[in-house]
Amino acid sequence: MTNSGALCGAESSSRRSAVPIVKSVAGPLEKYGRMVGRKLLPLLILFLAGWQEAVAVVPVRYVAVDVGKGLKLACAEESALLVHSDESVGVMWIREGRFDGQIERLKVEPNGMLELLNVSADDAGNYSCTLDDDHDAVKTRINVEVRTPPPALHNVWVKPSTILANILWEVAGTGGYPIIDFTAEYRLKPTAGEEPEEWKPIVPTHIPPNSRQIDVYHLVPNTTYSFRVWATNQLGRGEIVEVDGHTHHSVEELELARHLLAGVENFDTRVWVAAVGIVMGTLMILGLGTCYLLYREWKIPCKHPLW
């Protein structure tokens, strides 16, 4: 009994001594878990908030319209407007980067649709709308693209030679439709007060859309020309870009000038003055001699013929 009691006592003492050991191990684990939980909870809340916001984002619809045409934008689907079937729908449209002159060409219909009249390039942009019963919820996001004739070509410049020139350009945009072709023309640059001549087409008249340069032949050396080029799509001719170029001197003229001016740097002006003096002195002597001969001939008496 004593042994068993001692065993029980030992067991009880061992049990009593074991409990604090377990508590001493579990205590830091619980504190660590609580600390990790406190750190992860805000992240979880942010994740859920971001997920809800991502779900609430309205996808953007893309609409394209030709310049000069009309366009109608619906604020919401018909199912969202059934509750307003007996009365006009209160709709508020918002445009990012609003153009001041646009308000005269905007019209909101009773069913909430936004109508744009005579669309211009300035009407392109992002539009969104909300309903009266839910101001905080955006019902529609629409990106409007206005298709136009091609914009002006970029970096247009001329690389002239003596009797030909090379026109080069870069394409900045197509206007929304593929470029059909390019067109280039040239003429003599008129001087002040001079009537300009007609533009002459550069062959080929329809330059392929993948070209970025064209050559002009049969030009006059040492002459200034005006060149212009533009792109065309199915909506018409784009903005014209005009540049000037001056052709080089011909090779024959350069050789002649080089021959005539050879040795100019080493020419002594004293020799030139002496030569001019000799020539002028010779002319003066000849003039005096001529005057003397005329004087003597005038002094000789006239002899009458015998009858």
Side-chain angles (χ1 to χ4, degrees):
M1 294 295 293
T2 304
N3 293 334
S4 63
L7 181 60
C8 290
E11 290 177 356
S12 62
S13 62
S14 63
R15 289 175 184 174
R16 285 194 298 269
S17 62
V19 172
I21 294 174
V22 174
K23 286 184 178 180
S24 63
V25 174
L29 292 176
E30 290 178 356
K31 292 180 180 179
Y32 179 77
R34 291 173 184 173
M35 182 176 63
V36 172
R38 285 195 297 268
K39 290 184 178 180
L40 291 179
L41 184 59
L43 296 177
L44 181 61
I45 294 174
L46 291 175
F47 174 78
L48 292 176
W51 177 78
Q52 290 178 352
E53 184 178 357
V55 172
V57 170
V58 178
V60 179
R61 292 194 293 116
Y62 295 90
V63 178
V65 60
D66 294 346
V67 64
K69 302 293 185 179
L71 178 65
K72 291 185 178 182
L73 304 177
C75 180
E77 298 180 356
E78 295 182 1
S79 59
L81 300 176
L82 291 177
V83 294
H84 302 278
S85 58
D86 297 335
E87 57 184 6
S88 298
V89 181
V91 175
M92 182 175 66
W93 283 91
I94 301 173
R95 187 237 168 132
E96 299 178 7
R98 176 176 172 181
F99 179 59
D100 293 338
Q102 186 186 30
I103 191 65
E104 300 177 355
R105 296 179 287 103
L106 294 181
K107 177 183 177 183
V108 179
E109 298 183 352
N111 60 359
M113 296 188 69
L114 176 66
E115 183 178 6
L116 285 77
L117 306 174
N118 191 19
V119 174
S120 68
D122 296 320
D123 294 328
N126 296 319
Y127 295 78
S128 60
C129 73
T130 59
L131 301 180
D132 282 345
D133 57 353
D134 193 358
H135 289 289
D136 297 330
V138 176
K139 298 300 181 182
T140 300
R141 295 180 185 272
I142 304 175
N143 178 268
V144 176
E145 176 191 359
V146 180
R147 294 183 293 239
T148 63
L153 301 175
H154 278 199
N155 297 329
V156 180
W157 64 290
V158 179
K159 185 169 64 175
S161 182
T162 53
I163 59 174
L164 61 89
N166 183 239
I167 309 174
L168 303 97
W169 63 85
E170 295 178 2
V171 177
T174 64
Y177 286 110
I179 292 178
I180 299 175
D181 56 31
F182 298 99
T183 305
E185 297 177 339
Y186 76 103
R187 69 181 180 186
L188 287 172
K189 184 177 181 179
T191 58
E194 182 182 3
E195 186 71 19
E197 63 179 19
E198 296 292 331
W199 289 97
K200 301 176 183 178
I202 298 175
V203 180
T205 55
H206 299 286
I207 305 171
N210 58 345
S211 298
R212 295 296 180 269
Q213 62 179 358
I214 188 68
D215 292 327
V216 189
Y217 299 96
H218 308 298
L219 302 179
V220 179
N222 193 24
T223 306
T224 302
Y225 288 89
S226 295
F227 305 89
R228 67 178 187 177
V229 61
W230 66 88
T232 303
N233 62 14
Q234 70 179 58
L235 294 181
R237 183 173 69 178
E239 186 177 350
I240 298 176
V241 179
E242 184 174 340
V243 294
D244 296 333
H246 189 85
T247 55
H248 299 166
H249 294 271
S250 65
V251 178
E252 292 79 5
E253 292 177 352
L254 293 176
E255 290 295 334
L256 179 60
R258 188 179 297 109
H259 178 72
L260 293 176
L261 297 177
V264 171
E265 297 179 355
N266 300 325
F267 181 74
D268 191 354
T269 56
R270 292 175 297 179
V271 176
W272 181 81
V273 173
V276 172
I278 293 173
V279 172
M280 295 300 295
T282 303
L283 293 176
M284 185 177 296
I285 293 173
L286 291 176
L288 292 175
T290 303
C291 292
Y292 177 73
L293 292 176
L294 292 175
Y295 175 76
R296 287 193 60 184
E297 185 178 356
W298 180 72
K299 283 292 186 179
I300 296 176
C302 182
K303 296 181 180 180
H304 298 283
L306 297 175
W307 299 99

